[in-house]
Amino acid sequence: MTNFDQPIERIGSNSVKWDTILTMYNEDDLLPLWIADMDFRAPTDVLSAYQALLTHGVLGYTDIPQDLYTAIIRWERERHHLDLKKKEILFFSGVLAGITTAIQPFTKPEEAILIHDPVYPPFATIITNNKRKLVRSQLNEKDGRFVMDLADIEEKFKRYQIKVMILCNPHNPGGRVWTKDELQRLGELCKKYAVLVLSDEIHQDLIFPPHEMTSFFCAGTDFSDFSLQFTSMTKTFNLAGIKNSYALIKNDTLRKQLLAKQEENFQQEINTFGLIGMAAAYKTGDTWLAELLPYLQANITYTVKFFHEHLPKVKIMQPEGTYLMWLDFSAYGLSDEELEQSLIHKGKVVLNPGVSYGPSGKQHMRLNIACPQAILAEGLQRIVTVLSE
Ligand SMILES: Cc1ncc(COP(=O)(O)O)c(C=O)c1O
């Protein structure tokens, strides 16, 4: 049984989560509950696979192992009902690298790409860095969870002649696990307006019952004709630093276009550590994941209860998946700057500012609960200290 309560010292390991903030904010003793990695060791079998590699000691160019394809095909079939062929899997050094590569052949500069508001910030960065037009459709809040505004999406498809939509499925930061019905209705609209969907499914394995993950391909019989999925095991098994991912593309024409762009950018070679880690995680990680999910759920329950008891003015979105929580601090009337600065400099606790996820993220913060519960409890207590002043 994995002991997720075990604290692990990460300071001094060049951790983005723990180390960079110390210089960024010029403070000691900051407690990071931000960026999406977990403060847990990777599964032992993954670490053993790395140890075997290091014992052998030769780190030359590595071919993509056949057993990696087999492991991905098994995982995606058993957990996500996908029926994949080897040729439909393309490796990238990260989901963002894959999505960035994809927008290049499928849109021209100045053409419009639609994303939600709020959504994972790099989507907007990728679009603007590539000189495409950024269009957002705001998510509405209904019964404490985000819902898509299909009328607004349709209006924007028409008005901006949207070519591509980048979908976050499940949704970061709201933790929504979009239902089959929601995805079906979105997909039908995309089909009607010939919008290609790039579905980012990196959080696909972090789903809490009774919610069920629906891969975009599975939401409609022909949806894989106009969509590509991008995913990885790096969130699932806390391997974000290996920067490895894969795209799933069933449509031959789309796949050829993406492959050509990947080769044009010479991105087709994948580092050895990524290949070894991915294969080991998918082959051996079922038990670890089965232990992780209840731990994350317990942390979410703890957090909800804590806010209800100590800071009932904070509105919490209960995640259906992911280890991220979207918190609404608007009742305190602080500006985004005041909220962020007081949490950092008075509370010494770091969350992701909501405004970075889009204009509707004003006065919100994103909280990462994937750490030993004692650390989470300390972080939440620091938030209380700031807000009860
Ligand atoms: C929705 C989403 N997509 C992509 C990423 C980053 O993936 P990668 O490191 O593989 O580029 C993250 C990381 O937090 C994420 O939440």
Side-chain angles (χ1 to χ4, degrees):
M1 187 81 187
T2 308
N3 179 9
F4 294 106
D5 283 323
Q6 174 78 50
I8 294 167
E9 180 58 82
R10 296 185 66 187
I11 292 180
S13 66
N14 287 321
S15 154
V16 172
K17 187 177 185 182
W18 284 82
D19 286 314
T20 60
I21 49 175
L22 302 177
T23 41
M24 202 185 322
Y25 301 119
N26 197 21
E27 287 281 1
D28 297 327
D29 190 29
L30 287 172
L31 211 150
L33 302 175
W34 68 301
I35 197 169
D37 73 26
M38 308 194 266
D39 294 321
F40 305 134
R41 277 164 72 85
T44 310
D45 288 335
V46 175
L47 300 177
S48 302
Y50 283 129
Q51 264 140 16
L53 173 71
L54 296 179
T55 303
H56 181 238
V58 181
L59 298 171
Y61 291 120
T62 306
D63 193 14
I64 297 175
Q66 178 55 44
D67 69 348
L68 174 55
Y69 285 107
T70 311
I72 291 175
I73 290 169
R74 196 270 303 178
W75 189 270
E76 296 289 353
R77 185 185 61 245
E78 289 182 6
R79 291 183 177 260
H80 303 298
H81 315 294
L82 294 175
D83 177 21
L84 293 170
K85 297 188 187 64
K86 180 178 167 183
K87 67 169 188 183
E88 295 165 347
I89 304 170
L90 287 191
F91 292 96
F92 281 93
S93 55
V95 162
L96 290 174
I99 295 176
T100 305
T101 306
I103 68 172
Q104 294 168 358
F106 300 125
T107 56
K108 296 195 195 71
E110 311 310 330
E111 283 184 338
I113 299 180
L114 187 120
I115 60 174
H116 280 130
D117 169 22
V119 80
Y120 180 56
F123 290 178
T125 312
I126 288 172
I127 294 168
T128 49
N129 282 355
N130 280 273
K131 314 261 181 303
R132 270 61 173 174
K133 184 175 175 58
L134 170 65
V135 179
R136 291 180 185 269
S137 174
Q138 197 179 322
L139 291 167
N140 290 329
E141 237 182 284
K142 191 164 175 255
D143 303 328
R145 60 186 208 157
F146 281 132
V147 290
M148 300 188 208
D149 184 343
L150 292 179
D152 180 64
I153 292 177
E154 178 162 22
E155 197 271 313
K156 285 180 172 148
F157 279 0
K158 286 193 276 193
R159 178 153 37 123
Y160 297 103
Q161 292 162 0
I162 301 288
K163 291 285 179 301
V164 162
M165 172 169 186
I166 308 177
L167 173 70
C168 199
N169 177 35
H171 181 253
N172 169 7
R176 269 309 312 281
V177 178
W178 305 116
T179 62
K180 184 169 183 181
D181 182 56
E182 288 173 297
L183 293 174
Q184 204 163 32
R185 283 186 284 135
L186 175 70
E188 290 302 334
L189 263 192
C190 294
K191 195 161 50 170
K192 181 169 170 195
Y193 292 95
V195 172
L196 181 77
V197 177
L198 307 180
S199 186
D200 176 338
E201 308 203 347
I202 196 168
H203 296 280
Q204 65 181 5
D205 297 311
L206 302 171
I207 310 294
F208 308 119
H211 304 285
E212 279 178 24
M213 172 70 196
T214 306
S215 294
F216 191 78
F217 285 175
C218 297
T221 44
D222 55 355
F223 281 16
S224 59
D225 289 347
F226 59 89
S227 66
L228 289 74
Q229 291 186 184
F230 296 85
T231 193
S232 179
M233 81 321 298
T234 48
K235 295 287 171 227
T236 314
F237 297 106
N238 204 29
L239 301 169
I242 68 171
K243 293 301 296 182
N244 250 267
S245 74
Y246 50 96
L248 302 176
I249 314 130
K250 287 208 154 270
N251 179 284
D252 287 336
T253 312
L254 295 175
R255 191 170 55 253
K256 275 187 200 135
Q257 283 175 279
L258 184 64
L259 196 55
K261 182 52 78 176
Q262 189 188 39
E263 287 174 358
E264 188 183 317
N265 294 338
F266 212 87
Q267 292 175 317
Q268 68 276 25
E269 292 186 352
I270 300 299
N271 85 70
T272 305
F273 283 89
L275 297 171
I276 301 274
M278 278 200 274
Y282 275 163
K283 281 196 283 185
T284 63
D286 296 83
T287 307
W288 190 88
L289 179 58
E291 292 168 359
L292 172 74
L293 290 172
Y295 194 88
L296 296 179
Q297 255 184 310
N299 274 3
I300 290 168
T301 306
Y302 179 89
T303 305
V304 171
K305 187 163 175 280
F306 186 94
F307 276 109
H308 282 163
E309 282 171 11
H310 301 282
L311 291 174
K313 278 162 51 185
V314 178
K315 242 172 75 191
I316 301 166
M317 203 169 267
Q318 173 101 20
E320 301 167 345
T322 81
Y323 46 75
L324 307 166
M325 294 180 75
W326 189 238
L327 309 176
D328 177 351
F329 288 90
S330 57
Y332 290 90
L334 297 168
S335 70
D336 292 298
E337 177 76 6
E338 285 165 342
L339 181 60
E340 186 187 3
Q341 293 302 315
S342 51
L343 287 174
I344 291 168
H345 296 292
K346 287 192 197 154
K348 300 219 173 190
V349 57
V350 182
L351 281 72
N352 286 89
V355 270
S356 62
Y357 296 78
S360 70
K362 282 194 178 70
Q363 298 181 304
H364 288 70
M365 284 276 168
R366 192 196 69 174
L367 171 74
N368 173 354
I369 56 84
C371 58
Q373 199 170 96
I375 294 180
L376 176 65
E378 164 69 20
L380 297 178
Q381 194 52 53
R382 290 184 187 201
I383 299 174
V384 173
T385 314
V386 175
L387 293 176
S388 37
E389 267 180 20

